[in-house]
Amino acid sequence: MSTEVAHIAFDPAAFRWAGVVEQGYKVAPGQEPADGARGMGWKGVTRHVLAGTPILQAAFEARFFEVAPGGYSRLEKHRHVHFVIGMRGCGRALIGDRMHGIPPFDALHVPPLAPHRWLNEGEEPFGFLCIVDAERDRPQPLDDAEWELLRADPLTAPYVF
Amino acid sequence: MSTEVAHIAFDPAAFRWAGVVEQGYKVAPGQEPADGARGMGWKGVTRHVLAGTPILQAAFEARFFEVAPGGYSRLEKHRHVHFVIGMRGCGRALIGDRMHGIPPFDALHVPPLAPHRWLNEGEEPFGFLCIVDAERDRPQPLDDAEWELLRADPLTAPYVF
C-alpha cells in the first residue's frame, strides 16, 4: 500500500502514461485459461495497469487495453463484471449475443458470465479503460451451447473462432 | 443486479451519456459531511454515475464529475481512495500538500486521508472519471493541523477556504 499521491502523466503523442509498463495481454500464467481451449486465441492486445493492488489499496483495478488494427482479445466469460469506457479509436465487441460499436467514451457494462471479445476492425488503435474487481474469478471458455448459438447467428459467427 | 449488457452511448456534442441523469454534487444527505463544517463549500459541480450498485454488481462505482469554469469541490478527506482520470478540459487539484494540473487522460491516485479539492480555473468545463470502492467511508473535514499547514503554504493557501 502506498500513501503517496501518484500523478501519472499522459503523453498524448504516444497515447501512453509515464512509468506505466506495457504488458502483454497475458500476464498471470496461473490465472489464465488454457491456451488450447476454444476461443482463446488473441492478437495485438496490450495491457497497461493504471491502478491496482498493491499500489492502490482499493477493491478495484483500472487497466487500459489497446487493440491494434486487426487485433482481437480472447472470446471468454467470467463471473466478475467489466466496466468499460472507450478512449481511443473505434472498436467493436461481441458481448452476450450481440455486436456493439464502441466510439470514444461510450461506456459498457459486461454482466456476469456474458461471453465477450473485443475487436479492432478500424485503421487506428482501439483503446479502452476497463475496471474490474481486484478479487475476481478466472476467465473461462464458452460452453458448447453458447458457442453454437453464437456460431448460428450470421451477425456474431465471424467473431466466434 | 442486472444481467443485461448496458451500452451507454456518449454524445460528444453535449459531453453527456444517454440515460445517465445529471445529479448535484450532493446526492446522499445522510452520507455527506455537515454543510457548516470548514471547507465544505462547493460550486458548479455535477455528478454522473456511469456504473454503480445496484445496476452493476461490482465492488466499485464509476462516476463522471464535471466542474464548471470557476467551480470547485469540497476540501475533504476520507479513508477510501480515488482513482481519477481527466477526460475533458484542464483541471487543477489540491491533493495532500501539493497542487496538480490535470490535462485530459492524466491519472491520479488519491491515497487514504489525503485532503483534496478539485478546481477549474480554465474557461471550459473540467470533467474527470472517478472510481471508488462501492463500500466506503463518509468524507470528513480537515483537522486543525492539516488546515493550518495548507494555509501556511502560499501555493496551497488560495484553495483552503
Side-chain angles (χ1 to χ4, degrees):
Chain A
M1 164 186 166
S2 170
T3 55
E4 293 295 304
V5 178
H7 187 151
I8 308 169
F10 178 71
D11 176 351
F15 216 101
R16 290 291 182 265
W17 288 265
V20 174
V21 175
E22 177 172 312
Q23 302 176 293
Y25 181 41
K26 296 180 62 172
V27 289
Q31 295 302 309
E32 304 282 343
D35 271 334
R38 193 171 54 185
M40 294 299 106
W42 59 276
K43 181 180 169 188
V45 183
T46 58
R47 178 196 307 249
H48 312 251
V49 178
L50 299 178
T53 48
I55 296 168
L56 189 71
Q57 190 190 38
F60 61 85
E61 295 184 4
R63 302 94 45 90
F64 174 75
F65 288 95
E66 197 169 83
V67 185
Y72 50 85
S73 67
R74 293 183 300 238
L75 177 55
E76 64 184 23
K77 63 178 184 177
H78 39 65
R79 290 203 170 273
H80 65 274
V81 300
H82 283 317
F83 171 71
V84 160
I85 187 162
M87 294 183 76
R88 177 186 204 186
C90 287
R92 294 194 80 196
L94 166 58
I95 308 176
D97 58 4
R98 287 176 53 196
M99 298 303 299
H100 294 257
I102 311 175
F105 291 1
D106 266 26
L108 296 111
H109 300 173
V110 179
L113 296 176
H116 56 282
R117 165 168 268 166
W118 313 99
L119 305 140
N120 187 353
E121 297 178 324
E123 296 185 354
E124 58 174 321
F126 165 48
F128 60 91
L129 197 65
C130 178
I131 317 291
V132 288
D133 287 353
E135 290 191 21
R136 58 187 183 273
D137 63 320
R138 181 173 174 164
Q140 51 183 293
L142 277 56
D143 64 29
D144 289 345
E146 291 164 330
W147 188 271
E148 294 310 325
L149 192 71
L150 296 176
R151 291 282 289 175
D153 182 337
L155 291 179
T156 53
Y159 309 106
V160 182
F161 54 85
Chain B
M1 163 186 167
S2 169
T3 54
E4 292 295 306
V5 179
H7 187 151
I8 308 169
F10 178 71
D11 175 353
F15 216 101
R16 290 290 182 267
W17 288 265
V20 174
V21 176
E22 177 173 310
Q23 301 175 295
Y25 182 39
K26 297 179 60 171
V27 289
Q31 295 303 310
E32 303 284 343
D35 271 334
R38 194 170 54 184
M40 294 299 105
W42 59 276
K43 181 181 169 189
V45 183
T46 57
R47 179 196 305 250
H48 312 249
V49 179
L50 298 178
T53 49
I55 296 168
L56 189 72
Q57 191 190 37
F60 60 86
E61 296 184 3
R63 302 93 46 90
F64 174 74
F65 287 95
E66 196 169 84
V67 185
Y72 49 85
S73 67
R74 293 184 300 239
L75 177 55
E76 64 185 23
K77 64 179 184 177
H78 38 66
R79 290 202 171 275
H80 65 274
V81 300
H82 283 315
F83 171 71
V84 160
I85 187 161
M87 294 182 73
R88 176 186 205 186
C90 287
R92 294 194 80 197
L94 166 57
I95 308 176
D97 58 4
R98 287 176 53 195
M99 298 303 299
H100 294 258
I102 311 174
F105 292 1
D106 266 26
L108 295 110
H109 300 173
V110 180
L113 296 177
H116 56 281
R117 164 167 269 165
W118 313 99
L119 305 141
N120 186 352
E121 297 178 322
E123 296 186 350
E124 58 174 320
F126 165 48
F128 60 92
L129 198 64
C130 177
I131 316 293
V132 288
D133 287 353
E135 290 192 18
R136 57 187 183 274
D137 63 321
R138 181 173 174 163
Q140 51 182 294
L142 277 56
D143 64 30
D144 289 344
E146 291 164 331
W147 188 270
E148 294 309 325
L149 191 71
L150 296 175
R151 289 283 288 174
D153 183 336
L155 291 179
T156 53
Y159 308 106
V160 183
F161 55 85

